[in-house]
Amino acid sequence: MFSHIQIGARDLPAMVAFYDAVLGCLGLVRLPSENDSGPPGEGWHQPGKRWPQVFVQLPFNGLPATWGNGMQVSFAADSPQTVHAAWAKAIALGGTDEGPPGPRPQYSEGYFGAYCRDPEGNKLCFVYAPDMDE
């Protein structure tokens, strides 16, 4: 559905450490660092797959990064336990709770999700749904 997501950062080292830990819970690994002539940043992907990718990066326009009101990045998890692990790691690393792990049947049968904001205010969702691969 998407090729990559870019999340702006003000404190790049802190955000990279946050996403290394949280995305690691979901099985994502850091991409090799490359100088692509853009601003500094780091990226993650699923092992053995080139796409999709997630990047945390200083903004291209040189202005400070800000969070988007109404914007959310949602990450697929392979189980409700993984949803809980990613959310708990995010909260432990300075994220803020926007909705604890639990079933949300209003979205789909078996949907289990959790919501938080990263330390810079970007809204994240971790979700498991049994029909996600359909």
Side-chain angles (χ1 to χ4, degrees):
M1 177 179 273
F2 63 89
S3 64
H4 62 286
I5 294 169
Q6 287 187 237
I7 300 170
R10 292 184 304 272
D11 182 342
L12 185 60
M15 290 289 278
V16 168
F18 176 87
Y19 281 96
D20 262 343
V22 172
L23 297 179
C25 291
L26 300 169
L28 301 179
V29 297
R30 189 143 10 137
L31 290 161
S33 295
E34 294 181 11
N35 182 356
D36 65 356
S37 73
E42 296 292 340
W44 294 263
H45 69 126
Q46 291 177 323
K49 294 184 178 180
R50 179 173 168 91
W51 307 99
Q53 301 171 349
V54 177
F55 290 91
V56 173
Q57 196 165 22
L58 298 177
F60 275 76
N61 65 5
L63 298 174
T66 60
W67 53 268
N69 188 27
M71 184 167 168
Q72 172 180 285
V73 178
S74 300
F75 293 97
D78 61 4
S79 70
Q81 294 80 11
T82 301
V83 168
H84 191 276
W87 177 86
K89 180 66 75 175
I91 300 303
L93 294 174
T96 55
D97 180 12
E98 289 280 327
R104 289 173 171 78
Q106 68 271 30
Y107 299 135
S108 72
E109 187 174 332
Y111 188 105
F112 189 93
Y115 303 84
C116 68
R117 290 191 183 268
D118 72 19
E120 293 193 5
N122 299 293
K123 190 169 183 185
L124 307 176
C125 171
F126 309 108
V127 61
Y128 167 77
D131 61 352
M132 202 172 285
D133 289 334
E134 292 179 8

